[in-house]
């Protein structure tokens, strides 16, 4: 019998609670991807015995029928050692028509089946015969019996059904239950930025599933090096393999071309945290806008007027994506809890030691 856990907020600190506030733009009220109006997030966390540590995270761009009102979307690939189902159609058409589901590597097929079934069952989709399910993954086999194929269709459907606005649980939850990052426990992290009125008052939100390596840097401080845990530190330390899935949401009226550029900035933002983008890392970003003018209505053929932000106005959005991605990665680490499985323990990053190192370098809350 599985423990299906709909986890609440971890008692561990987020980045801002230890004085780390990347960038120059302020966060939204929740400092989460759900600060973009209409976006909802759901987790299902699967824990069983000494071997199952996995789950599902679902991101819904709006509360309506996504197939009937597709959102403008794009994908950017930093390193393609991974499986991002649905990416080729997104690249071709510039739209996203299903919930975005994150899970483990070997559960991608199950998640596709579940998302297709969910979409076909939506009222109004009775005649739909093609569905482009969008599924991302990272490999959680270090802590999870991934070959056991424990994620089932009902878990994916539950994550979608439980998706809500509001605060997003972070750390060792959902698709981040069994992940590792920079040698410590990774997981789900999120953050947002709210642009000032002079830049359009738009919001950018980011959610990450962190399972990658490199040399962890927080606010410019080489935390991984100082704590003696980083890629290439010894013959047995490894080269920072792993993956990161990034979901970027905005309410700015930008088309697929600019969304791809926005997604690229999110992948670039991983570098601020010390990512090595290794050979074995799948670094993917999926970006979408909730702007109603940019939605594509199924079967629509008549021309209509759309409001689109000009290219010269997107730089503030790029900065926001960089900042939010950086902070989301920190939150995924700081909120994660120690996880044990099959005789292995992956420790949560020691927040007291991190805080002390930041204080020594003069990093204070802004």
């Amino acid at each position: 019998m599985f423990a299906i856990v709909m986890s609440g907020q971890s008692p561990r600190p987020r980045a801002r609670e230890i004085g780390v506030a990347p960038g120059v733009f302020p966060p939204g009220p929740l400092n989460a991807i759900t600060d973009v109006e209409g976006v909802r997030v759901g987790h299902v966390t699967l824990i069983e015995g000494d071997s199952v540590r996995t789950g599902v995270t679902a991101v819904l761009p709006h509360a309506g029928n996504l197939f009937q009102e597709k959102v403008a979307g794009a994908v950017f690939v930093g390193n393609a050692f991974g499986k991002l189902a649905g990416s080729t159609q997104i690249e071709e058409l510039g739209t996203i028509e299903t919930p975005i589901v994150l899970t483990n590597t070997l559960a991608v097929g199950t998640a596709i089946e579940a998302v297709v079934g969910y979409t076909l069952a939506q009222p109004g989709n009775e005649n739909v015969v093609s569905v482009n399910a969008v599924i991302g993954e990272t490999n959680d086999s270090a802590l999870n019996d991934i070959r056991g194929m424990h994620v089932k269709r009902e878990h994916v459907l539950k994550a979608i059904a439980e998706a809500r606005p509001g605060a997003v649980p972070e750390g060792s939850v959902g698709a981040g239950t069994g992940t590792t990052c920079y040698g410590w426990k990774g997981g789900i992290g999120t953050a947002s930025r709210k642009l000032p009125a002079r830049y359009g008052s738009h919001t950018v939100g980011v959610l990450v599933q962190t399972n990658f390596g490199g040399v962890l840097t927080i606010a410019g401080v080489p935390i991984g090096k100082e704590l003696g845990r980083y890629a290439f530190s010894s013959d047995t330390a490894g080269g920072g393999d792993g993956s990161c899935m990034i979901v970027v949401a905005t309410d700015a009226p930008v088309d697929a071309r600019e969304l791809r550029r926005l997604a690229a900035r999110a992948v670039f933002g991983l570098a601020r945290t010390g990512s090595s983008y290794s050979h074995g890392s799948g670094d993917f970003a999926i970006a979408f806008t909730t702007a109603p003018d940019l939605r594509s209505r199924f079967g629509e053929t008549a021309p209509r007027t759309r409001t689109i932000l000009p290219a010269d106005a997107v730089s503030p959005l790029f900065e926001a994506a960089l900042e939010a991605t950086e902070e989301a990665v920190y939150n995924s680490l700081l909120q994660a809890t120690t996880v044990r499985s099959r005789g292995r323990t992956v420790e949560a990053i020691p927040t007291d030691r991190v805080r002390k190192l930041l204080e020594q370098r003069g990093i204070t809350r802004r």
Side-chain angles (χ1 to χ4, degrees), residues 24-95:
V24 296
F25 291 135
L30 299 170
N31 198 11
I33 192 171
T34 46
D35 283 321
V36 180
E37 187 175 356
V39 175
R40 299 177 294 157
V41 176
H43 298 303
V44 166
T45 301
L46 301 178
I47 298 173
E48 182 186 70
D50 188 43
S51 62
V52 179
R53 307 286 185 269
T54 193
V56 181
T57 296
V59 179
L60 278 63
H62 63 73
N65 186 324
L66 282 160
F67 192 90
Q68 297 293 327
E69 284 196 66
K70 309 174 197 299
V71 295
V75 169
F76 183 83
V77 181
N79 193 68
F81 200 123
K83 295 84 190 162
L84 177 53
S87 61
T88 53
Q89 184 169 311
I90 296 172
E91 289 178 350
E92 180 71 17
L93 303 182
T95 59

Side-chain angles (χ1 to χ4, degrees), residues 207-253:
L207 181 141
V208 296
Q209 176 195 18
T210 60
N211 194 47
F212 64 99
V215 183
L216 175 62
T217 301
I218 297 180
V221 179
I223 298 294
K225 190 173 181 180
E226 292 286 346
L227 296 182
R229 190 172 299 191
Y230 55 94
F232 310 108
S233 60
S234 68
D235 290 341
T236 59
D241 284 348
S243 299
C244 188
M245 284 298 313
I246 311 171
V247 181
V248 184
T250 185
D251 55 10

Side-chain angles (χ1 to χ4, degrees), residues 102 137-140 171-173 175-182 184-190 206-213 241-246 270 273 281-283 325-334 336:
L102 308 180
E137 56 80 28
T138 69
N139 194 308
D140 58 14
S172 307
V173 297
T177 302
T179 63
T180 63
C181 187
Y182 291 120
W184 287 280
K185 183 66 188 69
I188 298 297
T190 190
V206 170
L207 181 141
V208 296
Q209 176 195 18
T210 60
N211 194 47
F212 64 99
D241 284 348
S243 299
C244 188
M245 284 298 313
I246 311 171
L270 297 180
T273 73
S281 191
D283 304 304
T325 302
E326 179 184 0
E327 188 167 351
V329 171
Y330 299 154
N331 285 337
S332 77
L333 283 160
L334 294 166

